[in-house]
Amino acid sequence: MPLTAGFLGKFYVITAGASQSRWILLFTLVASSTIGLFYYLRIIVAMYSQPREPGHDGESSTQPLSLPAILALTALTGLIFLLGVYPTPLWNVITAVTRDLG
């Protein structure tokens, strides 16, 4: 998905694989991304579909999220989009660490 951290990583792998003619790598990436997309879409469909049967007291069986859970989800969602839009600081850390390893 564009503007997320995972998209940028896949884009770099596709660019590097195409420039080096690593077609098996690219095919594997496309196949695994397609399989992952199937699972992501199932989750989205489940989120927006109506519940099949109500809880025991006649209400929905879902429970409200606690404040720490809401804060964690908000922070992680923001971080994913931030790294998708502005990945330079993370990219600099990754390249510095890999440069030191080699």
Side-chain angles (χ1 to χ4, degrees):
M1 180 180 297
L3 294 180
T4 60
F7 175 78
L8 190 65
K10 286 180 184 176
F11 179 75
Y12 284 139
V13 170
I14 288 171
T15 303
S19 68
Q20 298 292 319
S21 299
R22 305 288 178 158
W23 304 117
I24 294 175
L25 172 71
L26 294 176
F27 175 75
T28 303
L29 177 66
V30 169
S32 64
S33 295
T34 304
I35 292 168
L37 181 64
F38 171 73
Y39 287 106
Y40 291 139
L41 289 177
R42 288 188 62 188
I43 292 170
I44 291 170
V45 167
M47 285 173 27
Y48 287 103
S49 65
Q50 296 294 324
R52 292 188 194 162
E53 71 182 54
H56 298 293
D57 56 357
E59 295 182 15
S60 176
S61 61
T62 60
Q63 298 175 2
L65 292 175
S66 64
L67 182 61
I70 292 171
L71 293 175
L73 286 173
T74 304
L76 291 173
T77 302
L79 185 63
I80 287 172
F81 282 106
L82 178 68
L83 290 175
V85 174
Y86 186 61
T88 305
L90 180 63
W91 184 255
N92 291 339
V93 169
I94 291 171
T95 55
V97 168
T98 56
R99 195 175 313 124
D100 291 342
L101 292 176

